[in-house]
Amino acid sequence: MKRYFSAVFISLSAIIIILGINLDLYWSGIVAWGIAIILLILAAYFTKYIPNEKKRKRGQSPLKK
């Protein structure tokens, strides 16, 4: 489940930026970009849980590290 967090956070940041720009309130753009940056940092953090198929040897089980 953790490997999908990166895609979720990137999608949420795009949605929040679009909503923040379209709201046309005084601070909405700044707040939207701030939240988006936090979500993108979280997305970068959770990329370590994405499995790397190249590092896995042919005979090794997918559950072993």
Side-chain angles (χ1 to χ4, degrees), residues 2-41:
K2 288 183 181 179
R3 64 177 161 173
Y4 299 116
F5 281 163
S6 292
V8 170
F9 286 139
I10 291 171
S11 302
L12 280 175
S13 66
I15 291 169
I16 288 174
I17 289 173
I18 291 169
L19 288 175
I21 291 172
N22 288 334
L23 280 178
D24 202 27
L25 296 174
Y26 188 66
W27 287 96
S28 65
I30 296 171
V31 173
W33 278 103
I35 293 171
I37 288 172
I38 292 170
L39 289 174
L40 289 173
I41 290 170

Side-chain angles (χ1 to χ4, degrees), residues 51 53 56-65:
E53 298 296 327
R56 191 179 305 156
K57 295 179 183 176
R58 287 187 178 180
Q60 190 177 14
S61 172
L63 299 177
K64 291 183 182 178
K65 285 193 172 184

Side-chain angles (χ1 to χ4, degrees), residues 35-53:
I35 293 171
I37 288 172
I38 292 170
L39 289 174
L40 289 173
I41 290 170
L42 287 171
Y45 173 76
F46 282 106
T47 57
K48 69 179 181 180
Y49 294 108
I50 297 173
N52 189 354
E53 298 296 327

